[in-house]
Amino acid sequence: MKNIKLHAIILALIIVSELIGTHTLKFGIGRIVLLPMLYALLLGILTTPKFLNLSGKKEMLDASSLVGVTLMLLMARYGTLVGPTLPKILAASPALILQEFGNLGTVLLGVPIAVYLGLK
């Protein structure tokens, strides 16, 4: 709480981002979901130009030290979202395991072949 200006900027970004809300764009069978976190990131970038004089070097340095903590909270949130769908994930586990064998096969088979062919 040493940098009150930083906390005020972050609070304002969060409020604006949450007011914008979540938007879903449909593309064929897929969807792109734009979450408030994306808006907060973009709005945070817009606070850095010098002519706006919103956030200076001190605020940026203080904010960079908080990124790790924020990402841990985000991962905890994702964990709570994945937990209820764990039976579905376990039901799909054979496909996921085969996919990982494909990734492993690329490393174990593809890399030696590439080196043998002279690719560095």
Side-chain angles (χ1 to χ4, degrees):
M1 289 298 296
K2 292 180 182 179
N3 195 337
I4 298 298
K5 182 179 177 183
L6 175 65
H7 290 288
I9 291 170
I10 292 171
L11 182 62
L13 292 177
I14 290 170
I15 290 170
V16 170
S17 299
E18 288 296 329
L19 287 174
I20 294 172
T22 302
H23 294 284
T24 304
L25 305 172
K26 293 182 181 180
F27 287 105
I29 61 169
R31 296 182 306 180
I32 295 178
V33 180
L34 303 175
L35 298 171
M37 185 176 171
L38 175 67
Y39 306 131
L41 175 71
L42 294 175
L43 291 171
I45 291 170
L46 294 176
T47 65
T48 58
K50 289 190 179 188
F51 65 88
L52 288 178
N53 200 21
L54 286 175
S55 57
K57 192 162 187 90
K58 182 180 184 322
E59 283 80 26
M60 287 187 240
L61 289 173
D62 290 345
S64 67
S65 66
L66 297 173
V67 170
V69 174
T70 306
L71 289 177
M72 284 191 295
L73 293 171
L74 179 65
M75 291 301 110
R77 169 81 170 124
Y78 285 160
T80 61
L81 293 175
V82 170
T85 61
L86 200 55
K88 287 182 183 178
I89 293 171
L90 292 175
S93 63
L96 294 174
I97 291 170
L98 288 174
Q99 179 183 354
E100 287 306 314
F101 278 129
N103 295 338
L104 197 61
T106 302
V107 173
L108 296 177
L109 187 65
V111 172
I113 291 173
V115 171
Y116 176 74
L117 293 175
L119 302 173
K120 295 183 179 181

